[in-house]
Amino acid sequence: MSLQNGSPASSVPGSRHPGQSGVREALIDLGAIRRNIDAVRAQTGCTQVLADVSCDGYGHGALRVARAALEAGVSGFLVARPGEAASLRRAGVSVPIVAWQVQDAAALAEAARERVDVAVDSVQGLDAAARAGVRGVHLALDPTGGELARVEWEALCRAARRGVVPVHGVLARADRPDEASAAFLEEALGILRQEGLQPRFVHLHDVEARARMLAGEDTVRLAATLYGLSADPDGDTADDAWPEPVLTLTAPVVAVKDVGAGEGISYGYTYVTARPTRVLLVPLGYGDGIPRRSGNLARVGVRGVTLPVAGRVAMDALMLDASELLDRGIDPAVGEIATVIGRAGWPARRWARVLDTTSLDIVSRLGPRISRVEA
Amino acid sequence: MTETALQIPGTAAIIDLGALRDNIATLRRRVAPAAFMVVVKADAYGHGAVQVARAATAAGVRDIGALDIPNALALRRGGIGPTVRILTWLYMPRQDFTRAVDEGIELSASSVAELDRIASSRSSRTPAVQFSIDTGLHRDGATAAAWPRLMRRAAELQREGLIAVRGVWTHIAEASEEEDTAAMRRFDTAIQVASGLGVRFPLRHLAASSAAYRRADVRYDMVRVGGHCWGIPSFDGVTAAQMGLTPVMTLVTTVVGVVRRGAASYARLPIGYADGLPREARGIVSVAIRGRRHILSEEIQATSVLVPVPGDVRPGDRVHLFGTGAHAEQTVREWGDLLGTLGDEIVARLSPRLPRVYLDPR
């Protein structure tokens, strides 16, 4: 087993435990992806699920997430840019894909080549898509947009009715759903139907937003929820078990050092030991996506105890004060598995709360030195 | 070739290799006669390890700091040949050293266990080893208490022809000038202890970017420099220009749409936090469009952000996020100061998917 070639796949799906690789590791639980999708279908009654695998599956790996999602019966995928869809198509993904952030003529041409739908929010956008030969569009609507957005929406629906490009969906973006936007959305769908348009996918992201705003529609779009995370700080305050986080981040302890009392740890000596202790070196730092400001704030799990991150997080490593393990008579050594995100450490949502951000932000920005492996 | 002559679609990090070479030349002159190691860990802080190493070695640099073996092997594969010394110092516990020794990578050892694993590689070549001493940072390196045992083992393996001793080094904490001076004394003591045990080092290095620039007495035989090579100052109270350096990376994007909400106009930019634009930058940093700065006042989404703009901004307009200041943009060092972090964190955490465009590769 050569470390440089990555770790061997486990022979029984779902049996792999975090940290077996002996390297910096993000273990992706594909079963959790499937369970999250099944739970959403059960909760919403929707039969059509669109899975957002933008940004390489928000750090999880778009291809493996797509594979698991297809096994769970999703109807289609979202990506941010057409280039992301190309690798899905090459991997044999044939279900509908929509690229929702399309930039210019080159991107539209790529969308046409890869048989990818694009999101358009204006008549000019629709015309450009038509000229490029794109196979279909999703009309993009911002229900918080107000009167001007309503006028533009009417013009867009009228233009779409000409049928130059088939309308396959309505993509509604409402990060803060409220009464006014729910009413707007209902009205907008009325306008759409008056123009005789009946797209297959009318979708609003996320389960909660959808439940409040889109009664009677059969499609739900999953982004953060798919990964057991939240794109909204409020979503990270809940402590319930669902949705189920998909990613576990671990690394081996690569060095241990016994230091005396009153010793400064890491750059600038922002942490000083109160008593003699053992310091554990973990090879994850801000170059791997652990925010630099986590120092003296966050905790990492070792042998069932979460230890404080001592001192500044460096580019390639962080240090843990193992006093609380020594107090329990536990003797941590090189090779121990340190759980940075996961059941044996802090969940991503706790990191998000402590760092005043969202769990999707934390996981999306985990860096390339971390090997992604599948459970 | 200038930036304006390039067609850069969408979002990209433009890396000016001419500025990189100029910065390296300026820094080398400053620390001479000490040798100069360019540190390319974390993909050269987001600038591209192989590209940076090629430009540096083409300009005469003979020492590269790679951090770990995967990075070092990628550099050899990328054409950084055997006349360039590549040093690594961070290993996973089950690391196999055979390929690294085959490729003539220099391996740092902090413990007898590490040294023995290096010495027992299955390579037919003799491992080139440097030794790391902890002088107070408490991260890498053998403690002063563990150092004599490590040196006895080193002497033994050297006598048996199983290792070639190449150097000794340490990292300093830079908490204060006095503490760095104390670290230097510990370093000197460790070298004396080693000498007494029969181990001598052809190369001694202690200082990284900050100390190397500011103090002549820390430079020993070589200094290790990362951030200053790409024009990011590592200490307070000075700009890159005042140091004679130019920021190497310019982060740019393009306005893809203009959205109206009531009376206000917003430009939609196709860059977000999954690309490496920090969410916490909201309301704090500015971007430059048409020579004017605009604060990023709106929420930064995963792949896009809206920025309030006046009526003359159009789809297709170039946007400068950070760079040299030539287009009214802030520098990444300013972004770091405003966000309470280092410019190093911002560049190193840009997404690997964000395209890099290289100017002046020569």
Side-chain angles (χ1 to χ4, degrees):
Chain A
M1 176 182 8
S2 162
L3 274 172
Q4 283 148 353
N5 293 332
S7 40
S10 63
S11 53
V12 178
S15 69
R16 193 187 176 97
H17 295 298
Q20 287 179 310
S21 64
V23 296
R24 308 173 191 92
E25 177 194 291
L27 184 66
I28 313 296
D29 185 348
L30 300 179
I33 290 178
R34 292 191 294 266
R35 288 189 293 274
N36 287 340
I37 292 168
D38 290 342
V40 164
R41 263 199 294 261
Q43 284 193 19
T44 61
C46 290
T47 61
Q48 301 193 120
V49 175
L50 298 179
D52 188 343
V53 294
S54 304
C55 312
D56 200 19
Y58 295 99
H60 297 71
L63 290 181
R64 65 173 59 89
V65 172
R67 191 180 353 114
L70 284 170
E71 285 167 14
V74 300
S75 306
F77 293 105
L78 257 88
V79 296
R81 300 157 188 159
E84 299 176 49
S87 57
L88 292 175
R89 288 286 186 234
R90 274 196 298 278
V93 173
S94 56
V95 297
I97 303 175
V98 54
W100 58 269
Q101 185 190 87
V102 182
Q103 285 156 214
D104 55 15
L108 286 170
E110 188 168 20
R113 270 197 310 276
E114 300 294 348
R115 297 170 297 108
V116 166
D117 292 354
V118 302
V120 296
D121 62 3
S122 66
V123 176
Q124 299 92 301
L126 181 66
D127 289 343
R131 278 196 303 275
V134 165
R135 79 181 264 286
V137 293
H138 288 224
L139 306 183
L141 172 67
D142 178 0
T144 62
E147 182 55 32
L148 204 53
R150 189 183 179 285
V151 168
E152 286 174 353
W153 177 256
E154 285 176 343
L156 182 57
C157 290
R158 272 198 306 276
R161 207 239 324 234
R162 291 199 310 264
V164 200
V165 191
V167 176
H168 290 155
V170 170
L171 186 160
R173 289 213 277 255
D175 298 315
R176 300 281 183 276
D178 57 17
E179 303 271 322
S181 23
F184 187 111
L185 186 52
E186 199 179 319
E187 190 188 349
L189 292 178
I191 292 167
L192 180 87
R193 299 210 159 101
Q194 272 170 13
E195 297 290 349
L197 296 164
Q198 305 272 26
R200 177 181 171 192
F201 299 120
V202 175
H203 52 104
L204 180 67
H205 85 281
D206 219 346
V207 180
E208 200 195 297
R210 210 215 73 92
R212 276 193 256 167
M213 292 181 62
L214 265 185
E217 298 295 337
D218 192 40
T219 310
V220 62
R221 182 172 89 234
L222 295 185
T225 307
L226 185 66
Y227 307 97
L229 304 169
S230 176
D232 182 330
D234 294 339
D236 284 317
T237 55
D239 280 319
D240 49 346
W242 187 83
E244 197 182 330
V246 170
L247 185 147
T248 300
L249 176 64
T250 59
V253 171
V254 296
V256 305
K257 193 161 287 187
D258 290 329
V259 299
E263 299 273 5
I265 307 289
S266 198
Y267 296 119
Y269 293 153
T270 60
Y271 182 100
V272 177
T273 57
R275 50 180 165 127
T277 185
R278 180 165 299 171
V279 176
L280 312 182
L281 185 64
V282 176
L284 288 169
Y286 62 80
D288 304 290
I290 309 300
R292 187 168 171 270
R293 67 194 189 283
S294 312
N296 296 333
L297 258 189
R299 283 181 170 256
V300 168
V302 179
R303 296 255 219 129
V305 176
T306 56
L307 303 176
V309 175
R312 289 223 158 96
V313 171
M315 186 178 290
D316 317 298
L318 54 85
M319 283 171 280
L320 305 177
D321 182 340
S323 301
E324 288 162 60
L325 278 177
L326 299 175
D327 288 346
R328 287 168 170 76
I330 298 171
D331 204 12
V334 170
E336 301 284 353
I337 297 171
T339 302
V340 176
I341 296 174
R343 283 206 188 87
W346 276 10
R349 60 166 67 110
R350 185 144 185 206
W351 280 85
R353 282 205 299 271
V354 155
L355 294 173
D356 195 23
T357 186
T358 68
S359 49
L360 187 62
D361 177 35
I362 298 283
V363 171
S364 298
R365 296 187 65 192
L366 295 177
R369 293 189 295 207
I370 298 166
S371 304
R372 271 65 171 174
V373 298
E374 295 174 15
Chain B
M1 185 193 278
T2 62
E3 183 203 314
T4 50
L6 279 175
Q7 297 287 356
I8 302 167
T11 304
I14 304 171
I15 290 142
D16 184 346
L17 295 175
L20 174 73
R21 280 189 294 268
D22 289 345
N23 289 342
I24 290 174
T26 299
L27 293 163
R28 286 178 81 189
R29 274 195 301 274
R30 187 175 176 89
V31 304
F36 194 87
M37 169 187 277
V38 176
V39 177
V40 299
K41 59 188 187 161
D43 202 24
Y45 301 33
H47 294 69
V50 170
Q51 291 278 7
V52 165
R54 281 190 195 144
T57 54
V61 168
R62 280 291 161 270
D63 288 276
I64 299 288
L67 178 79
D68 61 20
I69 290 173
N71 203 16
L73 293 174
L75 290 168
R76 285 283 190 241
R77 280 196 305 274
I80 308 304
T83 61
V84 178
R85 285 179 294 268
I86 302 177
L87 180 65
T88 60
W89 58 92
L90 178 69
Y91 316 115
M92 300 299 126
R94 306 201 297 254
Q95 179 70 56
D96 184 286
F97 292 94
T98 307
R99 276 178 66 191
V101 177
D102 285 343
E103 292 287 349
I105 307 294
E106 295 203 353
L107 302 162
S108 176
S110 288
S111 67
V112 171
E114 228 166 46
L115 179 59
D116 284 346
R117 284 212 321 278
I118 291 168
S120 61
S121 91
R122 287 164 286 116
S123 175
S124 53
R125 294 183 64 168
T126 305
V129 183
Q130 296 200 25
F131 291 90
S132 172
I133 172 99
D134 177 0
T135 51
L137 184 63
H138 296 319
R139 203 180 64 195
D140 334 84
T143 59
W147 184 250
R149 184 167 165 256
L150 179 60
M151 287 300 100
R152 281 192 201 96
R153 188 76 180 125
E156 199 177 359
L157 291 169
Q158 184 176 45
R159 272 196 304 274
E160 291 167 19
L162 293 175
I163 63 169
V165 174
R166 288 292 171 79
V168 61
W169 68 292
T170 190
H171 267 114
I172 53 176
E174 295 182 10
S176 72
E177 300 287 7
E178 296 73 32
E179 276 163 321
D180 288 348
T181 301
M184 283 170 56
R185 297 291 82 83
R186 291 182 205 118
F187 189 55
D188 295 337
T189 300
I191 293 169
Q192 279 164 21
V193 166
S195 176
L197 295 168
V199 180
R200 288 185 184 77
F201 307 103
L203 188 75
R204 306 160 302 155
H205 49 111
L206 173 141
S209 285
S210 178
Y213 188 90
R214 290 177 298 105
R215 291 173 67 155
D217 61 346
V218 301
R219 292 174 186 152
Y220 289 86
D221 302 312
M222 186 172 76
V223 300
R224 304 182 302 270
V225 185
H228 288 181
C229 294
W230 10 105
I232 306 175
S234 61
F235 51 95
D236 294 337
V238 69
T239 64
Q242 287 165 343
M243 295 172 70
L245 304 175
T246 305
V248 167
M249 181 188 286
T250 298
L251 183 62
V252 298
T253 188
T254 312
V255 175
V256 293
V258 177
V259 172
R260 280 190 299 285
R261 297 239 175 100
S265 282
Y266 296 83
R268 186 179 295 284
L269 310 184
I271 182 170
Y273 62 76
D275 300 300
L277 179 60
R279 283 187 76 250
E280 58 269 19
R282 178 186 186 181
I284 294 179
V285 305
S286 302
V287 302
I289 311 176
R290 293 182 177 241
R292 290 181 308 247
R293 283 191 185 169
H294 308 276
I295 292 196
L296 287 182
S297 59
E298 302 304 299
E299 183 170 349
I300 294 164
Q301 312 280 347
T303 57
S304 68
V305 63
L306 294 176
V307 53
V309 290
D312 63 339
V313 170
R314 297 269 169 279
D317 279 359
R318 166 97 314 153
V319 179
H320 286 78
L321 291 101
F322 59 75
T324 63
H327 301 269
E329 77 276 23
Q330 293 168 319
T331 63
V332 76
R333 146 55 167 247
E334 286 177 87
W335 276 35
D337 287 347
L338 291 166
L339 292 168
T341 187
L342 303 175
D344 297 5
E345 180 179 19
I346 296 166
V347 292
R349 293 182 64 191
L350 292 176
S351 169
R353 291 182 315 274
L354 191 146
R356 269 61 171 180
V357 174
Y358 291 93
L359 295 187
D360 201 5
R362 221 178 274 161

